[in-house]
Amino acid sequence: MRWTDAESRAVLRRLFDAAVASADPAAAVLRHLPEKPRGRCVVVGAGKASAAMAAALDAAWPEVDVSGVVVTRYGHAVPAGRIRILEASHPVPDTMSETAARYILAAVRGLTPDDLVVALISGGGSALMVAPAGNMTLADKQTVNRALLASGATIGEMNALRKHLSAIKGGRLAQAAQPAHVVTLVISDVPGDDPAAIASGPTVSDASTMADVRDIIRRYGLDLPPAARAVIEAGDEAPKREALPNEITIIAAPSLALTAAAEEARRNGLAPLILGDAIEGEAREAGIVMAGIARSAKTKGLPIRAPAVLLSGGETTVSIGKGPAGAGGRNTEFLLGLAVGLAGMEGIYAIAGDSDGIDGTEDAAGAIVTPDTLVRARLLGLDTRAYLAAHDSYRYFAELGDLVKTGPTLTNVNDVRAIMIV
Protein backbone atom coordinates (compact mmCIF):
# COMPACT_ATOMS: atom_id res chain seq x y z
CA MET A 1 0.00 0.00 0.00
CA ARG A 2 1.26 3.47 -0.89
CA TRP A 3 0.56 5.93 1.93
CA THR A 4 -0.04 9.48 0.76
CA ASP A 5 0.97 12.49 2.82
CA ALA A 6 -2.68 13.30 3.56
CA GLU A 7 -3.48 9.73 4.61
CA SER A 8 -0.45 9.57 6.87
CA ARG A 9 -1.34 12.84 8.58
CA ALA A 10 -4.94 11.70 9.07
CA VAL A 11 -3.87 8.40 10.64
CA LEU A 12 -1.47 10.15 13.02
CA ARG A 13 -4.23 12.47 14.16
CA ARG A 14 -6.58 9.51 14.72
CA LEU A 15 -3.96 7.84 16.91
CA PHE A 16 -3.50 10.99 18.99
CA ASP A 17 -7.25 11.55 19.33
CA ALA A 18 -7.81 7.93 20.39
CA ALA A 19 -5.22 8.29 23.15
CA VAL A 20 -6.85 11.48 24.45
CA ALA A 21 -10.39 10.03 24.25
CA SER A 22 -9.33 7.06 26.40
CA ALA A 23 -8.70 9.48 29.26
CA ASP A 24 -12.14 11.11 29.19
CA PRO A 25 -12.46 12.38 32.79
CA ALA A 26 -16.23 11.99 33.16
CA ALA A 27 -16.25 8.36 32.05
CA ALA A 28 -13.25 7.56 34.24
CA VAL A 29 -14.86 9.06 37.35
CA LEU A 30 -18.14 7.20 36.81
CA ARG A 31 -16.25 3.90 36.63
CA HIS A 32 -14.64 4.50 40.03
CA LEU A 33 -17.20 6.22 42.27
CA PRO A 34 -16.71 5.26 45.95
CA GLU A 35 -19.45 4.14 48.33
CA LYS A 36 -21.82 6.98 49.18
CA PRO A 37 -21.24 8.52 52.62
CA ARG A 38 -23.57 8.57 55.61
CA GLY A 39 -22.80 12.27 56.02
CA ARG A 40 -21.66 14.97 53.63
CA CYS A 41 -19.53 14.60 50.52
CA VAL A 42 -17.00 17.37 50.11
CA VAL A 43 -15.34 17.43 46.72
CA VAL A 44 -11.98 19.15 46.34
CA GLY A 45 -9.41 18.95 43.63
CA ALA A 46 -6.88 20.54 41.35
CA GLY A 47 -5.69 19.94 37.82
CA LYS A 48 -6.48 20.37 34.16
CA ALA A 49 -9.06 17.56 34.21
CA SER A 50 -10.49 18.19 37.66
CA ALA A 51 -13.44 20.42 36.69
CA ALA A 52 -14.75 17.83 34.23
CA MET A 53 -14.25 15.15 36.90
CA ALA A 54 -16.23 17.22 39.41
CA ALA A 55 -19.09 17.76 36.97
CA ALA A 56 -19.44 14.01 36.49
CA LEU A 57 -19.52 13.30 40.22
CA ASP A 58 -22.05 16.04 40.94
CA ALA A 59 -24.40 14.76 38.23
CA ALA A 60 -24.04 11.14 39.40
CA TRP A 61 -24.99 11.82 43.06
CA PRO A 62 -28.07 14.13 43.06
CA GLU A 63 -29.36 12.60 46.33
CA VAL A 64 -26.09 13.11 48.26
CA ASP A 65 -25.22 16.31 50.15
CA VAL A 66 -22.43 17.38 47.81
CA SER A 67 -20.37 20.58 48.03
CA GLY A 68 -16.78 21.58 47.47
CA VAL A 69 -14.19 23.54 45.52
CA VAL A 70 -12.07 22.51 42.54
CA VAL A 71 -9.47 24.55 40.66
CA THR A 72 -8.47 24.08 37.04
CA ARG A 73 -6.45 25.92 34.42
CA TYR A 74 -7.81 29.03 32.75
CA GLY A 75 -10.02 27.92 29.85
CA HIS A 76 -10.60 24.42 31.29
CA ALA A 77 -13.62 25.18 33.50
CA VAL A 78 -17.01 23.52 33.01
CA PRO A 79 -20.16 23.90 35.17
CA ALA A 80 -20.17 21.40 38.03
CA GLY A 81 -23.49 22.02 39.78
CA ARG A 82 -23.01 22.24 43.54
CA ILE A 83 -19.21 22.20 43.29
CA ARG A 84 -17.52 25.56 42.89
CA ILE A 85 -15.05 25.74 40.01
CA LEU A 86 -12.16 28.18 40.14
CA GLU A 87 -9.55 28.89 37.45
CA ALA A 88 -5.89 29.71 37.96
CA SER A 89 -2.61 29.96 36.07
CA HIS A 90 -0.39 27.14 34.81
CA PRO A 91 2.56 26.45 34.72
CA VAL A 92 3.44 29.49 36.88
CA PRO A 93 0.92 30.08 39.71
CA ASP A 94 -0.93 33.37 40.17
CA THR A 95 -3.03 34.96 42.92
CA MET A 96 -5.98 32.70 42.05
CA SER A 97 -3.77 29.66 42.71
CA GLU A 98 -3.29 30.89 46.26
CA THR A 99 -6.97 31.81 46.64
CA ALA A 100 -8.00 28.35 45.44
CA ALA A 101 -5.74 26.61 47.96
CA ARG A 102 -7.20 28.71 50.76
CA TYR A 103 -10.79 27.83 49.77
CA ILE A 104 -9.94 24.13 49.39
CA LEU A 105 -8.32 23.91 52.82
CA ALA A 106 -11.32 25.70 54.34
CA ALA A 107 -13.73 23.25 52.66
CA VAL A 108 -12.23 20.19 54.42
CA ARG A 109 -11.98 21.61 57.92
CA GLY A 110 -14.43 20.64 60.67
CA LEU A 111 -15.61 17.37 59.10
CA THR A 112 -16.66 14.19 60.92
CA PRO A 113 -15.89 10.47 60.46
CA ASP A 114 -19.25 10.12 58.66
CA ASP A 115 -18.20 12.61 56.00
CA LEU A 116 -16.44 11.76 52.75
CA VAL A 117 -13.82 13.89 51.03
CA VAL A 118 -13.35 13.05 47.35
CA ALA A 119 -10.15 14.57 46.03
CA LEU A 120 -10.09 14.85 42.22
CA ILE A 121 -6.47 15.19 41.20
CA SER A 122 -4.98 15.57 37.73
CA GLY A 123 -1.89 16.98 36.07
CA GLY A 124 -1.17 20.68 36.53
CA GLY A 125 -2.57 20.76 40.04
CA SER A 126 0.75 21.68 41.58
CA ALA A 127 0.73 25.18 40.05
CA LEU A 128 -3.03 25.62 40.29
CA MET A 129 -3.26 25.10 44.06
CA VAL A 130 -0.59 27.00 45.96
CA ALA A 131 -0.29 27.50 49.72
CA PRO A 132 3.21 28.81 50.48
CA ALA A 133 4.82 27.37 53.59
CA GLY A 134 6.32 29.42 56.40
CA ASN A 135 6.71 33.10 55.56
CA MET A 136 6.92 32.54 51.83
CA THR A 137 4.82 34.75 49.55
CA LEU A 138 3.20 33.87 46.25
CA ALA A 139 5.99 35.82 44.53
CA ASP A 140 8.50 33.51 46.23
CA LYS A 141 6.62 30.43 44.94
CA GLN A 142 6.51 31.91 41.44
CA THR A 143 10.26 32.49 41.54
CA VAL A 144 10.85 28.89 42.62
CA ASN A 145 8.58 27.54 39.87
CA ARG A 146 10.31 29.55 37.17
CA ALA A 147 13.71 28.37 38.38
CA LEU A 148 12.54 24.74 38.35
CA LEU A 149 11.03 24.98 34.86
CA ALA A 150 14.27 26.40 33.46
CA SER A 151 16.58 24.05 35.38
CA GLY A 152 16.11 20.78 33.50
CA ALA A 153 15.02 19.02 36.71
CA THR A 154 12.74 16.00 36.29
CA ILE A 155 9.08 16.24 37.27
CA GLY A 156 9.82 14.08 40.32
CA GLU A 157 12.57 16.42 41.47
CA MET A 158 10.36 19.46 40.89
CA ASN A 159 7.58 17.93 42.96
CA ALA A 160 9.88 17.01 45.84
CA LEU A 161 10.87 20.65 46.22
CA ARG A 162 7.33 21.95 45.70
CA LYS A 163 5.91 19.64 48.37
CA HIS A 164 8.39 20.78 50.99
CA LEU A 165 7.59 24.43 50.29
CA SER A 166 3.82 23.96 50.56
CA ALA A 167 1.13 23.91 53.25
CA ILE A 168 -1.25 21.83 51.08
CA LYS A 169 0.86 19.43 48.99
CA GLY A 170 2.69 16.26 49.98
CA GLY A 171 -0.28 14.88 51.94
CA ARG A 172 -1.09 18.03 53.89
CA LEU A 173 -4.57 18.37 52.31
CA ALA A 174 -5.54 14.88 53.53
CA GLN A 175 -4.08 15.72 56.92
CA ALA A 176 -6.32 18.81 57.11
CA ALA A 177 -9.40 16.71 56.21
CA GLN A 178 -9.08 14.29 59.15
CA PRO A 179 -11.14 12.62 60.64
CA ALA A 180 -13.23 12.44 57.44
CA HIS A 181 -12.70 9.50 55.09
CA VAL A 182 -10.61 10.58 52.10
CA VAL A 183 -10.89 8.99 48.65
CA THR A 184 -8.58 10.26 45.92
CA LEU A 185 -9.35 9.72 42.23
CA VAL A 186 -6.35 10.46 40.06
CA ILE A 187 -5.81 11.02 36.37
CA SER A 188 -2.09 10.39 36.01
CA ASP A 189 0.23 12.53 33.91
CA VAL A 190 3.55 11.35 35.31
CA PRO A 191 5.95 8.53 34.39
CA GLY A 192 5.12 5.43 36.40
CA ASP A 193 1.74 6.77 37.62
CA ASP A 194 3.05 7.54 41.11
CA PRO A 195 0.14 9.35 42.85
CA ALA A 196 2.61 11.13 45.12
CA ALA A 197 4.01 12.90 42.08
CA ILE A 198 0.74 13.94 40.43
CA ALA A 199 -0.08 17.55 41.37
CA SER A 200 2.57 17.07 44.08
CA GLY A 201 0.33 14.56 45.90
CA PRO A 202 -1.87 16.76 48.12
CA THR A 203 -3.52 13.69 49.70
CA VAL A 204 -0.61 11.27 49.39
CA SER A 205 2.10 10.62 51.96
CA ASP A 206 5.49 11.87 50.87
CA ALA A 207 8.54 9.62 50.61
CA SER A 208 11.02 12.37 49.77
CA THR A 209 12.93 14.09 52.54
CA MET A 210 14.50 17.44 53.22
CA ALA A 211 17.86 15.79 52.52
CA ASP A 212 16.59 14.93 49.00
CA VAL A 213 15.42 18.52 48.54
CA ARG A 214 18.77 19.96 49.57
CA ASP A 215 20.49 17.63 47.10
CA ILE A 216 18.20 18.82 44.25
CA ILE A 217 18.94 22.45 45.09
CA ARG A 218 22.69 21.76 44.97
CA ARG A 219 22.49 19.62 41.82
CA TYR A 220 20.78 22.28 39.73
CA GLY A 221 22.31 25.31 41.39
CA LEU A 222 18.89 26.71 42.30
CA ASP A 223 18.90 30.22 43.74
CA LEU A 224 15.93 30.25 46.12
CA PRO A 225 14.36 33.31 47.77
CA PRO A 226 15.36 33.84 51.42
CA ALA A 227 11.92 32.78 52.77
CA ALA A 228 12.10 29.52 50.80
CA ARG A 229 15.60 28.84 52.12
CA ALA A 230 14.27 29.41 55.64
CA VAL A 231 11.58 26.75 55.14
CA ILE A 232 14.20 24.26 53.92
CA GLU A 233 16.47 25.07 56.85
CA ALA A 234 13.58 24.59 59.31
CA GLY A 235 13.30 20.98 58.07
CA ASP A 236 9.54 20.44 58.46
CA GLU A 237 8.89 17.08 56.77
CA ALA A 238 5.66 16.33 54.88
CA PRO A 239 3.31 13.67 56.40
CA LYS A 240 4.44 10.05 56.03
CA ARG A 241 2.35 7.00 55.12
CA GLU A 242 1.25 5.91 58.60
CA ALA A 243 -0.33 9.34 59.24
CA LEU A 244 -2.58 9.34 56.16
CA PRO A 245 -5.06 6.44 55.90
CA ASN A 246 -6.99 7.02 52.67
CA GLU A 247 -7.93 5.35 49.39
CA ILE A 248 -6.12 6.32 46.18
CA THR A 249 -7.17 5.09 42.73
CA ILE A 250 -5.59 5.85 39.36
CA ILE A 251 -8.58 6.16 37.02
CA ALA A 252 -6.77 7.14 33.80
CA ALA A 253 -3.10 6.95 32.89
CA PRO A 254 -0.54 7.32 30.09
CA SER A 255 -0.22 3.54 29.69
CA LEU A 256 -3.94 3.22 28.99
CA ALA A 257 -3.76 6.07 26.48
CA LEU A 258 -0.94 4.37 24.58
CA THR A 259 -2.90 1.12 24.58
CA ALA A 260 -5.84 2.96 23.00
CA ALA A 261 -3.53 4.45 20.36
CA ALA A 262 -2.15 0.97 19.65
CA GLU A 263 -5.65 -0.40 19.11
CA GLU A 264 -6.40 2.45 16.70
CA ALA A 265 -3.13 1.71 14.88
CA ARG A 266 -4.17 -1.89 14.29
CA ARG A 267 -7.50 -0.71 12.88
CA ASN A 268 -5.52 1.37 10.40
CA GLY A 269 -3.24 -1.44 9.25
CA LEU A 270 -0.22 -0.54 11.37
CA ALA A 271 1.75 -2.81 13.70
CA PRO A 272 2.15 -0.87 16.98
CA LEU A 273 5.15 -1.02 19.29
CA ILE A 274 4.83 0.76 22.64
CA LEU A 275 8.29 1.90 23.67
CA GLY A 276 7.15 3.03 27.11
CA ASP A 277 5.02 5.57 28.93
CA ALA A 278 7.83 7.01 31.05
CA ILE A 279 10.26 8.48 28.51
CA GLU A 280 12.17 11.36 30.12
CA GLY A 281 15.23 13.42 29.33
CA GLU A 282 15.99 16.47 27.23
CA ALA A 283 13.25 16.85 24.57
CA ARG A 284 15.51 17.51 21.58
CA GLU A 285 17.85 14.67 22.50
CA ALA A 286 14.91 12.28 22.94
CA GLY A 287 13.80 13.29 19.44
CA ILE A 288 17.21 12.49 17.98
CA VAL A 289 17.26 9.10 19.75
CA MET A 290 13.78 8.26 18.48
CA ALA A 291 14.86 9.25 14.98
CA GLY A 292 17.60 6.64 15.15
CA ILE A 293 15.12 3.96 16.19
CA ALA A 294 12.74 4.94 13.38
CA ARG A 295 15.53 4.93 10.78
CA SER A 296 16.52 1.43 11.89
CA ALA A 297 12.91 0.25 11.58
CA LYS A 298 12.65 1.74 8.10
CA THR A 299 15.90 0.36 6.71
CA LYS A 300 16.35 -2.91 8.65
CA GLY A 301 12.96 -3.77 10.07
CA LEU A 302 14.31 -3.39 13.59
CA PRO A 303 12.75 -3.31 16.14
CA ILE A 304 9.61 -3.68 14.00
CA ARG A 305 8.80 -3.96 10.30
CA ALA A 306 6.79 -1.39 8.35
CA PRO A 307 4.00 -0.48 8.17
CA ALA A 308 4.30 0.19 11.86
CA VAL A 309 4.09 2.88 14.49
CA LEU A 310 6.34 3.53 17.48
CA LEU A 311 4.33 4.83 20.44
CA SER A 312 5.67 6.50 23.54
CA GLY A 313 4.62 8.73 26.40
CA GLY A 314 6.10 10.44 29.42
CA GLU A 315 7.39 13.92 30.01
CA THR A 316 10.62 15.24 28.56
CA THR A 317 12.18 18.53 29.64
CA VAL A 318 13.44 21.65 27.90
CA SER A 319 16.44 23.25 29.58
CA ILE A 320 16.30 26.90 28.54
CA GLY A 321 19.22 28.17 30.57
CA LYS A 322 19.78 31.88 31.05
CA GLY A 323 19.70 32.99 27.41
CA PRO A 324 16.63 34.27 25.51
CA ALA A 325 14.13 31.67 24.37
CA GLY A 326 11.49 31.60 21.68
CA ALA A 327 8.03 30.08 21.77
CA GLY A 328 7.51 26.36 22.14
CA GLY A 329 7.00 23.37 24.38
CA ARG A 330 8.58 19.99 24.94
CA ASN A 331 6.55 18.26 22.20
CA THR A 332 7.39 20.67 19.40
CA GLU A 333 11.03 20.71 20.54
CA PHE A 334 11.03 16.89 20.53
CA LEU A 335 9.69 16.94 16.97
CA LEU A 336 12.26 19.47 15.83
CA GLY A 337 15.03 17.24 17.18
CA LEU A 338 13.35 14.26 15.50
CA ALA A 339 13.20 16.07 12.15
CA VAL A 340 16.90 16.89 12.34
CA GLY A 341 17.69 13.27 13.20
CA LEU A 342 15.55 11.88 10.38
CA ALA A 343 17.16 14.22 7.84
CA GLY A 344 14.20 13.88 5.47
CA MET A 345 14.09 10.07 5.32
CA GLU A 346 11.16 8.93 3.19
CA GLY A 347 8.26 7.04 4.70
CA ILE A 348 8.53 8.34 8.27
CA TYR A 349 5.87 10.60 9.79
CA ALA A 350 5.38 11.66 13.39
CA ILE A 351 3.02 13.43 15.77
CA ALA A 352 3.68 14.51 19.34
CA GLY A 353 1.37 16.43 21.60
CA ASP A 354 0.33 17.07 25.15
CA SER A 355 -2.93 15.30 25.89
CA ASP A 356 -4.30 18.41 27.62
CA GLY A 357 -4.15 20.29 24.32
CA ILE A 358 -1.52 22.78 25.48
CA ASP A 359 2.18 22.21 24.80
CA GLY A 360 4.02 24.34 27.33
CA THR A 361 2.30 27.72 27.36
CA GLU A 362 1.29 27.85 23.69
CA ASP A 363 -2.12 27.31 22.07
CA ALA A 364 -1.19 24.07 20.29
CA ALA A 365 -1.07 20.51 21.61
CA GLY A 366 1.97 19.76 19.45
CA ALA A 367 2.78 19.29 15.78
CA ILE A 368 3.40 16.86 12.91
CA VAL A 369 6.65 15.99 11.13
CA THR A 370 6.67 14.68 7.56
CA PRO A 371 9.49 13.50 5.27
CA ASP A 372 9.55 16.91 3.57
CA THR A 373 9.54 19.01 6.76
CA LEU A 374 13.15 20.16 6.32
CA VAL A 375 12.72 20.83 2.60
CA ARG A 376 9.63 22.94 3.12
CA ALA A 377 11.41 24.82 5.90
CA ARG A 378 14.34 25.66 3.61
CA LEU A 379 11.96 26.92 0.92
CA LEU A 380 10.49 29.28 3.51
CA GLY A 381 13.94 30.44 4.58
CA LEU A 382 13.78 28.75 7.97
CA ASP A 383 17.05 27.64 9.55
CA THR A 384 15.99 24.48 11.40
CA ARG A 385 19.01 24.25 13.67
CA ALA A 386 18.78 27.94 14.57
CA TYR A 387 15.16 27.50 15.60
CA LEU A 388 16.15 24.48 17.67
CA ALA A 389 18.97 26.38 19.37
CA ALA A 390 16.58 29.24 20.19
CA HIS A 391 13.89 26.90 21.60
CA ASP A 392 11.55 28.43 19.02
CA SER A 393 9.85 25.26 17.83
CA TYR A 394 6.30 26.62 18.04
CA ARG A 395 7.03 29.37 15.52
CA TYR A 396 8.87 26.91 13.29
CA PHE A 397 5.89 24.58 12.96
CA ALA A 398 3.50 27.52 12.79
CA GLU A 399 5.36 28.77 9.71
CA LEU A 400 5.02 25.30 8.16
CA GLY A 401 1.33 25.04 9.02
CA ASP A 402 1.99 21.81 10.91
CA LEU A 403 0.82 22.67 14.42
CA VAL A 404 -1.82 20.40 15.96
CA LYS A 405 -4.51 22.46 17.69
CA THR A 406 -7.21 20.75 19.72
CA GLY A 407 -8.10 23.40 22.27
CA PRO A 408 -8.30 22.36 25.94
CA THR A 409 -9.20 18.65 26.06
CA LEU A 410 -10.19 18.81 29.77
CA THR A 411 -7.98 15.83 30.56
CA ASN A 412 -4.28 15.20 30.95
CA VAL A 413 -2.33 11.93 30.72
CA ASN A 414 0.88 13.60 29.65
CA ASP A 415 2.49 13.49 26.21
CA VAL A 416 1.54 11.15 23.37
CA ARG A 417 4.08 10.51 20.62
CA ALA A 418 3.62 8.39 17.51
CA ILE A 419 6.24 7.78 14.80
CA MET A 420 4.74 6.05 11.77
CA ILE A 421 6.98 4.05 9.43
CA VAL A 422 5.34 3.15 6.09
Side-chain angles (χ1 to χ4, degrees):
M1 174 181 176
R2 176 100 162 67
W3 294 69
T4 67
D5 183 82
E7 289 168 341
S8 299
R9 288 172 177 267
V11 170
L12 285 173
R13 184 58 189 267
R14 286 199 289 272
L15 300 184
F16 182 78
D17 290 346
V20 172
S22 74
D24 176 73
V29 164
L30 295 179
R31 289 194 299 268
H32 295 89
L33 286 174
E35 183 178 343
K36 293 173 183 175
R38 290 191 297 269
R40 301 167 53 201
C41 174
V42 177
V43 178
V44 293
K48 299 170 187 175
S50 296
M53 296 165 77
L57 187 150
D58 177 78
W61 281 2
E63 74 285 7
V64 177
D65 180 6
V66 171
S67 63
V69 184
V70 162
V71 60
T72 190
R73 183 176 181 162
Y74 290 119
H76 288 61
V78 295
R82 296 161 289 174
I83 302 165
R84 185 177 183 182
I85 303 299
L86 301 177
E87 291 181 297
S89 176
H90 181 277
V92 177
D94 64 1
T95 56
M96 280 305 300
S97 306
E98 190 171 22
T99 297
R102 191 163 59 247
Y103 279 127
I104 288 168
L105 284 170
V108 301
R109 291 194 179 107
L111 300 179
T112 75
D114 287 338
D115 297 325
L116 170 67
V117 172
V118 180
L120 304 174
I121 305 300
S122 58
S126 188
L128 296 168
M129 183 175 60
V130 173
N135 293 320
M136 290 178 63
T137 64
L138 177 61
D140 290 331
K141 290 284 286 187
Q142 290 170 329
T143 298
V144 171
N145 263 13
R146 290 190 186 98
L148 285 169
L149 290 169
S151 69
T154 68
I155 187 66
E157 291 168 332
M158 291 184 192
N159 282 335
L161 182 54
R162 286 167 175 161
K163 284 187 278 190
H164 283 84
L165 295 177
S166 174
I168 196 169
K169 300 185 176 95
R172 289 186 171 93
L173 175 59
Q175 191 175 49
Q178 293 175 339
H181 180 53
V182 179
V183 171
T184 304
L185 303 181
V186 183
I187 292 183
S188 172
D189 72 328
V190 302
D193 305 329
D194 178 5
I198 302 159
S200 298
T203 62
V204 185
S205 59
D206 181 44
S208 67
T209 65
M210 277 296 186
D212 298 326
V213 170
R214 294 185 185 103
D215 182 60
I216 292 165
I217 293 169
R218 285 193 298 269
R219 188 180 311 143
Y220 294 100
L222 298 175
D223 184 14
L224 301 184
R229 291 200 300 271
V231 171
I232 301 300
E233 289 164 6
D236 182 23
E237 293 285 2
K240 301 309 175 190
R241 185 180 302 277
E242 59 277 6
L244 292 179
N246 63 82
E247 299 175 26
I248 301 165
T249 304
I250 302 291
I251 64 173
S255 59
L256 301 176
L258 294 180
T259 298
E263 292 170 355
E264 181 65 22
R266 293 186 187 97
R267 285 192 287 270
N268 285 271
L270 296 168
L273 178 61
I274 297 176
L275 299 176
D277 66 346
I279 306 298
E280 296 182 314
E282 196 66 27
R284 66 177 66 194
E285 294 171 5
I288 293 169
V289 169
M290 290 292 188
I293 297 172
R295 290 170 67 91
S296 178
K298 179 65 177 175
T299 58
K300 301 176 182 177
L302 299 172
I304 194 168
R305 292 188 180 278
V309 62
L310 305 175
L311 300 168
S312 65
E315 185 169 331
T316 58
T317 52
V318 176
S319 299
I320 296 172
K322 296 182 179 179
R330 58 183 181 263
N331 285 287
T332 50
E333 181 142 332
F334 166 86
L335 288 168
L336 205 46
L338 179 79
V340 169
L342 290 174
M345 176 170 277
E346 288 296 319
I348 301 180
Y349 297 77
I351 189 171
D354 196 321
S355 58
D356 71 353
I358 308 294
D359 186 32
T361 59
E362 309 305 331
D363 62 355
I368 286 176
V369 162
T370 64
D372 64 352
T373 290
L374 300 183
V375 172
R376 288 186 290 120
R378 282 196 296 271
L379 291 174
L380 291 172
L382 307 180
D383 184 332
T384 300
R385 292 185 182 276
Y387 273 84
L388 189 57
H391 303 288
D392 207 10
S393 52
Y394 174 90
R395 291 193 181 95
Y396 180 89
F397 287 108
E399 290 286 338
L400 292 174
D402 285 340
L403 289 172
V404 173
K405 295 191 177 185
T406 63
T409 64
L410 306 184
T411 193
N412 186 24
V413 287
N414 222 321
D415 300 335
V416 176
R417 297 179 288 265
I419 304 173
M420 191 168 75
I421 302 110
V422 295

